[in-house]
Amino acid sequence: MVNPILVALDVAEASHAVHLAGVLAGEVGGFKVGLELLSGPGPATIGAVSGAGRAPVFVDAKLHDIPATVRRAARRLGSLGARWLTVHASGGGAMLEAAVEGLAEGAAGRDAGILAVTVLTSLDQNALREVGIGETPGRLTSKMARLAAETGCEGVVCSPMELGVVSTVAPDLVKVTPGIRPEGSPRHDQKRVATPAEAIAGGADFLVMGRPITASPDPVAAVRRIVGSIGW
């Protein structure tokens, strides 16, 4: 692994995503292809980004449907080159197991793993109450992490605030952490955030970072500053 940074390619055009991946080739640990690219240019972007960036692709599809549908979608995304694929842990154990099985079928022997999404970094206690959830983000993440481990997921996506909780209840899970902002950067729509150094110190295995890198006039320099801040 070059470093733990997964660059979120949250852009509208495949050509832009492929260009950024090419610029950052050899500089980062991987790239995130999310809903904007999947619903626009389409899932073929996965292979194009992987080829240009010479790094694994984290497909942030956040699947959440009945198990049979999720299994078929995971199989398809695995066949297109997904190294990691996100699925909402709130879909339940049967759905997570179906995703694990489908991704493995699609990857056909290549390394690939499901990441269970716990509590989005845009949600806080008040937002959870709005949808009838009385538990704290920490308690909910704890339950979801246990379920992810029991169903064969490779890891979880969790906020920096819940890294310790995940390490305690499911220490073998890979922890992928969004909501990462360099010191002094705006939070935008994220509520539970940390700096790169704070997240690494808290136990994160991978840091998902978008705008602080992709919106920079010099993305390579931005990555190198972040890498320096975590002592990689």
Side-chain angles (χ1 to χ4, degrees), residues 33 78 141 144 162 203 229:
V33 169
T141 297
M144 290 177 166
E162 281 78 63
S229 76

Side-chain angles (χ1 to χ4, degrees), residues 95-110:
M95 191 195 75
L96 292 176
E97 288 176 347
V100 169
E101 292 164 2
L103 184 63
E105 291 164 1
R110 180 179 48 79

